[in-house]
Amino acid sequence: AQSVTQPDIHITVSEGASLELRCNYSYGATPYLFWYVQSPGQGLQLLLKYFSGDTLVQGIKGFEAEFKRSQSSFNLRKPSVHWSDAAEYFCAVGEVGRALTFGSGTRLQVQP
Amino acid sequence: DAGVTQSPTHLIKTRGQHVTLRCSPISGHKSVSWYQQVLGQGPQFIFQYYEKEERGRGNFPDRFSARQFPNYSSELNVNALLLGDSALYLCASSLGSDQPQHFGDGTRLSIL
């Protein structure tokens, strides 16, 4: 069965600092991987996706993620965090158009 | 273009009652999925429909049911509500099997 682990429940960074959110997955085949962001009381917005090809994928809002098969990881990065990035971030694995398996999320707090 | 729309946005019910949640996918999207997000956790897959046929079902009791209509909108029904059914219910749609899922803002269901 597929699973996703987000080891960090809560991360605090200063505005302008770099960010890396960790995601490890377990999946029997080549995974499709996603990062979503959720602001309080809202739904999930797709940040980026990995289907195949280049292992470094670019997303919206200046985010990027790198797929590392050997480490079963798909970490999310941003070089300079803005206060508006404060939200909950979810990593997900699954087949495109089918059920997604989500991690438990990482809550990002940004200090001024 | 309108995104995924869900109604109602908030709902309060008592134990034992029945509830119907509604979802309209993005125009042209034929696949709809339902997820339950309990506070502090990632979304859990409930159902997926494609072209009005059930394509997948998560580990939820038979009190949960869903259907998709000819216009691709969908309903999620929950019978005999329990306190543990209190959650944010998210609907997601996708264009097809090779496209990612896009989420609505959800229906917040509270059971008293």
Side-chain angles (χ1 to χ4, degrees), chain B residues 33-105:
Chain B
S33 298
W34 288 94
Y35 294 81
Q36 180 196 64
Q37 186 179 20
V38 174
L39 195 63
Q41 297 182 19
Q44 297 288 318
F45 170 69
I46 310 175
F47 285 108
Q48 198 238 4
Y49 280 79
Y50 181 74
E51 287 278 16
K52 302 180 289 294
E53 291 190 1
E54 183 181 303
R55 284 292 187 88
R57 174 185 289 250
N59 188 25
F60 279 80
D62 291 343
R63 300 185 295 108
F64 289 76
S65 63
R67 55 180 175 169
Q68 186 177 31
F69 298 99
N71 66 353
Y72 302 110
S73 67
S74 178
E75 284 183 354
L76 175 69
N77 295 283
V78 187
N79 293 323
L81 288 166
L82 303 174
L83 292 178
D85 296 331
S86 295
L88 179 67
Y89 288 84
L90 295 163
C91 176
S93 74
S94 62
L95 189 61
S97 60
D98 61 344
Q99 296 295 324
Q101 297 182 22
H102 298 269
F103 285 80
D105 285 340

Side-chain angles (χ1 to χ4, degrees), chain A residues 27-91:
Chain A
Y27 192 71
T30 301
Y32 293 123
L33 295 159
F34 307 84
W35 275 99
Y36 285 87
V37 61
Q38 185 178 37
S39 297
Q42 305 221 338
L44 284 75
Q45 181 182 22
L46 179 66
L47 286 176
L48 47 78
K49 58 187 183 292
Y50 172 77
F51 292 167
S52 63
D54 193 349
T55 56
L56 185 64
V57 294
Q58 302 296 321
I60 62 172
K61 304 184 179 185
F63 286 93
E64 66 177 26
E66 186 171 12
F67 170 59
K68 293 185 177 180
R69 184 187 301 275
S70 61
Q71 299 177 19
S72 297
S73 69
F74 189 57
N75 294 348
L76 182 71
R77 301 194 294 249
K78 186 170 184 178
S80 178
V81 171
H82 188 262
W83 63 266
S84 61
D85 293 325
E88 185 105 27
Y89 291 80
F90 292 95
C91 181

Side-chain angles (χ1 to χ4, degrees), chain B residues 1-5 24-27:
Chain B
D1 289 341
V4 177
T5 57
S24 294
I26 294 172
S27 178

